[in-house]
Structure formats: structure tokens, C-alpha cells
Amino acid sequence: MPIYWQQELETMPRSGLATFQLERLRETLRRAAGSPFYGAVLARRGISPEDIRSLSDLDKLPMTTKEDLREHFPYGLLSAPLDTVIRLHCSSGTTGNPTVIFHNRHDLDSWANLVARSLFAAGARPGDVFQNICGYGLFTGGLGFQYGAERLGALTIPAGAGNSRRQIQLMTNFGTTVIHAIPSYLARLHETFRELKVDISRDTRLRILVIGAEPHTEGQRRRIQDLYGVKAFNSYGLSEMNGPGVAFECECQNGLHLWEDAYIAEIVDPETLQPVPEGVVGELVMTTLDRQAMPIIRYRTRDLTRFVPGDCPCGRSHRRIDRITGRTDDMFIIKGCNVFPMQVEKILMGFPEIGNDYLIVLETVKGVDEMLIKVEISPHFFTGEMEPLENLRRRIQEEIRDEVLVTPEVRLVEPGALPKSEGKAVRVQDLRHRQGE
Ligand code: ADP
Ligand code: ZN
């Protein structure tokens, strides 16, 4: 039984991988130079693809930001004739106006292959029944996983987002073995399993969960694994780099292999833009190596992670990144302290009494900025009374204060009381700007 989707590429010795990357980088630059945006940028800097003699010359190339993509919307980065382009996707617009990415036939083929490889690494196999529980349409998780799972040879159910009862019906009707969904939704879906009295281990054939598209902590993953009784594998990607299939956990679950034959990854200090030492957290910067219609060079993802040092026992040579701890633009400053939502989640997930949903509200009270954290009680724990929970509330407050160095107001709320979003969970509501308007 093969244990890799593409053994030669996935286990390529690092020196060979570097040569391979350099070749593809040069080709990528040649293509990129054909777009109005990169054509002008490279000309201004006097750089031609031939100037890139080794991978260390990468830093001669400018970085690309989300603002560049927005400013040159829609066609500024397109480097192939429009009539060879066959698909476009937009990012979800979590942090502002969306951006557009174009693909030609080669690009879609390459992407599907990367997703198939990723699913295979997590243990999915041809013959699995793959239920894709996420928004289709412009969001890349839908079609990205659809084509990838088909490429793998799985019976692929394009279930779409929401409608939990129907999701469970599909699972039991067709014997779903692998599910892809965002983590915040899986916690909610599990409630419907309970309501319907469907026992996952008895009534379904589920064996693998794939979770991604939004930041989540190791604690959140463990909770999901406990609820479903199967392993949950972290899937990382972003529209600008195709979507899913950029970095994925293998069966070792010890970091996400970033597919280095298709991307060059750098991790830099977001202030100085200089590389950080190996193992240190910084901003992930990526260059596409196998995209023709719209190559992107040194894209600042704004996602924070680190390279996991050492080799993976699975034998894949592609480096691993750690789970994303947040986005540089997720961070908020309150009372002079920098806080990431995942720091709060990490503490919350340590309390079995609380559920999976929480909301951080930043507001100005009597001229002072305050952090209010609304936390849902776990339905398994909630008795209908809030008063006996005062002690719990205080403990949560103290632990969060010790982690983020600001004392929050913690408010426990009933299960299901917080607003739910169809797509990615909204963890922070910043009302500070609106007050006094
Ligand atoms: P948007 O930037 O509008 O959300 P995308 O749909 O392209 O658009 O989402 C990509 C972003 O989602 C990534 O840059 C990252 O911030 C987040 N993301 C994707 N997968 C993961 C993951 N496994 N863990 C944490 N964050 C993730
Ligand atoms: Zn591995």
C-alpha cells in the first residue's frame, strides 16, 4: 500500500527540492513579468528573472501585499491572456474588500492535485466518502476540496454549509467517512447529533475530520476530536495561494507540511520584514511556484506561525509550519497590551464547563477601553442557573488576566446565546470606534 500520493515529490531530499524550487521560481518570474503589476515593479527595480541565481536571491524581489491586490483589482496581476483563464475565486473578505484570483486549466489541475495529496497525507484514500461541509461559490473551501477529493478518488458530497439535520442525514445515507468543515461549525453540528440521538460511532462510518479556514487552538481541536471520537487534521490555505492544499497535517499531527514544490515559504518579522530564526514565530510570506495565470511573489499572508524544527517521522521532506496563532491584523491593543484572540481561546478551552463559542467585545465605558468576554456555558454543564457559576467566572477572569495582562470582564451566557455566523466565526467585536459618533 503506498503511503504517499506523490512519493518522489513529497520525500524529495532538501537539496533536490531547492534546485526544483529555483527552477520554478525563475519560470514564475518570467510569467509574472507579463502582468501589468509585476511588469512595472520588476522594471522599476531593474530585476530580470535571470538575476535570480539562487534561492537566497529571493530577497531581491519585492513583497506583495493584500493592498497591492486590491489596488490592482481586478486584472493587474493577471499574467496570462484572459481567454485562457477558466475560473476565478475571491477571498472571504474577512478583513476588508475582497481580492480576486484567476486560474487557468493548469492551475486548477495543480491545485486539485495538492488538495488530493493533502487529504492522502491525513489518511484519506480513494474509495472514501468525503462530505464537504462548507460554502461553495467564491469561497475556495467549496470547489477547492470538491476537485481535490474527486482527484483523490473519493465519492465527494458537495453538501455546502449549514443545515445540520441534512448534513447528518447525508452522512448516514451515504456512509460518509471523511468530513471537511470549519472547526466552529463542527462543535455546533455535534449538538444536532445529540438532539437527533445519532451516535457517531454506532450510526456513522466517520473516520477522519479535516478542519481549517479559521484560527483555532490545540484545545479546540482536542475538544472536536473528543466529541466525534476521530482525529481532526488541520488544513491551512488562503485564496491568494489557491485556497486549501497549501499546508496540511499528516497522520503524525505535529505541524502542517507546507508543500514546498508548489510554494516558497518564508517567515519574517512583520515589523522589519527580515527572516526570523528557525522556530521563532513571524509572518508567513509565500511565493507561488506552480501557478500560471496569476503568479504571486512573496505574498505577505499576515498569518503568524513558525517553522517546526526537525524532520517528520512520516518521511515527507517538506517543512512543517505550526498552527496559525493569529493574523497580524487580528491583534488588538487594549490598555496598552497586545492581545490575540487565540490567547483567550487557549484559556477558555481549558475549562470543560464552558462551550465552544465566545465573543470578545471591546468597548469604551466612561471613557476607558474595556474588554468584555462573553462565554457560552457548555450545554452538558448548564443547569439553568447562573449564580452557582460565579466561582467559575472568576477563575476564567483570573486565568485570562494572567495570560494577556489585562483584567477582562467575563460574562457567562446560556448555551446558544451568542450569534452564530454561517462562515468563519467572528471572535472579536470592536465597538470602540463607534462610540460617541
Ligand atoms: P479571508 O482572508 O478573507 O478570510 P480566505 O478565505 O482566503 O480569505 O481565508 C484565508 C485565511 O484564513 C488565512 O489567511 C488564515 O488567516 C485563515 N486560515 C485558513 N486556514 C486556517 C487554519 N487552518 N488555521 C488558522 N487560520 C486559517
Ligand atoms: Zn509528516
Side-chain angles (χ1 to χ4, degrees), residues 211-225:
I211 56 176
E214 64 182 11
H216 55 286
T217 52
E218 182 61 31
Q220 177 89 284
R221 183 243 287 276
R222 288 221 196 92
R223 280 181 169 216
I224 290 171
Q225 294 192 149

Side-chain angles (χ1 to χ4, degrees), residues 28-44:
T28 296
L29 280 179
R30 274 192 285 273
R31 285 184 188 278
S35 74
F37 173 71
Y38 284 119
V41 167
L42 296 175
R44 209 164 42 237

Side-chain angles (χ1 to χ4, degrees), residues 66 70 90-99 101 138-141 182-183 211-217 233-244 247 256 284 286 299-304 321-330 342 424:
K66 195 148 194 137
R70 287 185 180 139
C90 291
S91 79
S92 329
T94 310
T95 58
N97 291 331
T99 49
I101 304 294
L138 292 172
F139 175 58
T140 54
I182 56 175
I211 56 176
E214 64 182 11
H216 55 286
T217 52
F233 295 89
N234 194 350
S235 147
Y236 169 77
L238 63 164
S239 312
E240 291 81 359
M241 296 288 124
N242 289 347
L256 298 81
L284 181 63
M286 273 189 287
Y299 182 67
R300 290 188 61 182
T301 63
R302 307 195 281 191
D303 290 327
L304 297 170
I321 55 168
D322 216 341
R323 70 174 55 254
I324 306 292
T325 52
R327 302 188 185 211
T328 50
D329 40 16
D330 264 355
M342 285 306 111
K424 305 187 186 205

Side-chain angles (χ1 to χ4, degrees), residues 136-322:
Y136 274 64
L138 292 172
F139 175 58
T140 54
L143 292 178
F145 270 108
Q146 179 72 31
Y147 282 82
E150 288 178 5
R151 173 66 57 90
L152 175 74
L155 166 57
T156 309
I157 309 176
N163 200 343
S164 298
R165 283 171 180 261
R166 186 161 163 70
Q167 298 290 356
I168 293 171
Q169 208 173 32
L170 288 167
M171 279 182 73
T172 51
N173 284 348
F174 300 111
T176 299
T177 53
V178 184
I179 278 181
H180 163 246
I182 56 175
S184 52
Y185 178 71
L186 278 181
R188 239 179 299 151
L189 177 67
H190 191 264
E191 282 311 301
T192 311
F193 272 105
R194 274 168 34 99
E195 279 165 28
L196 298 179
K197 300 201 168 48
V198 176
D199 179 320
I200 294 174
S201 64
R202 187 192 59 207
D203 305 326
T204 79
R205 291 177 56 214
L206 187 67
R207 61 183 201 88
I208 293 174
L209 294 171
V210 171
I211 56 176
E214 64 182 11
H216 55 286
T217 52
E218 182 61 31
Q220 177 89 284
R221 183 243 287 276
R222 288 221 196 92
R223 280 181 169 216
I224 290 171
Q225 294 192 149
D226 289 347
L227 284 175
Y228 285 81
V230 297
K231 280 191 176 180
F233 295 89
N234 194 350
S235 147
Y236 169 77
L238 63 164
S239 312
E240 291 81 359
M241 296 288 124
N242 289 347
V246 173
F248 224 88
E249 274 182 330
C250 68
E251 289 180 84
C252 305
Q253 285 190 314
N254 56 0
L256 298 81
H257 288 283
L258 192 144
W259 302 126
E260 292 182 275
D261 55 323
Y263 305 95
I264 295 180
E266 305 166 77
I267 295 182
V268 303
D269 179 320
E271 299 287 322
T272 64
L273 301 183
Q274 293 306 305
V276 294
E278 200 196 29
V280 172
V281 172
E283 179 177 350
L284 181 63
V285 171
M286 273 189 287
T287 301
T288 63
L289 290 180
D290 197 24
R291 230 171 44 195
Q292 297 182 347
M294 188 168 161
I296 300 185
I297 295 160
R298 303 191 82 200
Y299 182 67
R300 290 188 61 182
T301 63
R302 307 195 281 191
D303 290 327
L304 297 170
T305 184
R306 63 182 192 113
F307 283 122
V308 178
D311 298 329
C312 185
C314 77
R316 290 179 180 82
S317 55
H318 300 230
R319 276 183 298 179
R320 287 161 295 147
I321 55 168
D322 216 341

Side-chain angles (χ1 to χ4, degrees), residues 87 89 103 106-115 140 144 242-244:
R87 171 109 62 86
H89 276 285
H103 302 276
H106 166 90
D107 300 336
L108 292 183
D109 188 65
S110 160
W111 180 17
N113 181 59
L114 290 172
V115 175
T140 54
N242 289 347

